[in-house]
Amino acid sequence: MCQKGSTYVAIDFETANQSRDSACAIGVAVIEDGAVRESFQRLIRPPTDDFSDWNFRIHGIHWKDVEHEDDFVTVWGDLQQSIGDAVYYVAHNAGFEQQVLAACCDYYDIAPPDTEFLCTIEAASMLWPLESYKLPRVCQFLGIPLKHHNAQSDAEASANILLKAMIQGYSPECAASEGTGLWAAKHLSNEIMQLVSSIVEDGVVEADDIHAAATWMERNPEAVSVWPGSELMRRLEAILEDGIIASTELDEFHSLCNALLGLNERKKARRSITKRPGAMSVCFTGFGPGKVAVRAQAEAAGYHVVATVTKRLDYLVCGPVQGPSKIEQAIDRGAKVVTCEEWQAILNMRG
């Protein structure tokens, strides 16, 4: 067993039937110093021998496998002694594990732990654009081995998802506190993909696009901590380091953008980011978190929303904290610069 004082402990329950207090197995993976140091499984004897056929088909555990095992009180007590105090518990679909833990504690009249849970579904959906965030799909995407519905394997997979998310900038502290970092993690990935789409929408990447992208990243520093902002910024810094933007660097950056959008690697079931024929393009600046709402309103009205000033931009809408550089770029490229009030009037006329 591991030493006390573990920082994160991933757990996964399997249940005998639909009742949350029927835990029949628990998987544990202990994260210390940025790695999974230990993982194991304990079988649990539930309160009754009621094992549903459905649950048995999922995890393969039956009453005969657990009738001589310890009950939840003993197993949980042993785990508390061995894993020590965790800053967070970790689980994929943490709500289910929380419910099972609470129901088992309630059944045996023991105090539930007050340790907060981190959900790796939430972490994964903040960082990686997938069509599904079920555990097998996330593990496949990240190259994590998985024997699904084996409690030890599921717990270890959740632990490894968390570790990979933290490498990409996911902050457990921000997720727990619902702070600014959580807003960034939830929304900036989409913002970055819009930026990337804007860069390649005309099929050519120019030096101005590199400078515009670098300026956007500087104005949105939290984006560097969120995939794919970290990779985008690393490449931009390498291109701008010597002050010369070579044609080969432009081609390589174009390839990176295409790869990030999935044009070279996969077709994704997601909202089209291609400009519809005849649609006017609009960019918003100076709105902060409120940009999500105004972008959605514009898209609903039929506008093509972009993240930066493109070569064929129609409108730049300025919020309360806009910067001058984007306005200058828009004027230079012939776009119409409007205030929030003027933009609302345009939408009202269109509607």
Side-chain angles (χ1 to χ4, degrees), residues 301 303 344-351:
Y303 286 89
Q344 195 59 52
I346 292 170
L347 287 179
N348 292 340
M349 290 174 56
R350 190 183 180 94

Side-chain angles (χ1 to χ4, degrees), residues 138-174:
V138 178
C139 288
Q140 179 190 43
F141 175 73
L142 296 175
I144 296 172
L146 176 68
K147 183 179 179 182
H148 197 25
H149 293 302
N150 172 281
Q152 178 179 352
S153 181
D154 285 359
E156 189 167 344
S158 297
N160 280 304
I161 292 170
L162 176 66
L163 290 172
K164 289 180 179 291
M166 291 171 71
I167 290 173
Q168 293 290 342
Y170 173 76
S171 169
E173 288 72 23
C174 287

Side-chain angles (χ1 to χ4, degrees), residues 19-32:
S19 297
R20 292 295 188 257
D21 59 15
S22 67
C24 60
I26 181 173
V28 174
V30 181
I31 303 171
E32 291 180 332

Side-chain angles (χ1 to χ4, degrees), residues 32-53:
E32 291 180 332
D33 301 323
V36 177
R37 297 303 182 193
E38 180 181 14
S39 68
F40 56 89
Q41 174 176 294
R42 286 283 302 271
L43 295 177
I44 303 170
R45 186 181 73 251
T48 73
D49 62 359
D50 177 19
F51 276 70
S52 73
D53 290 340

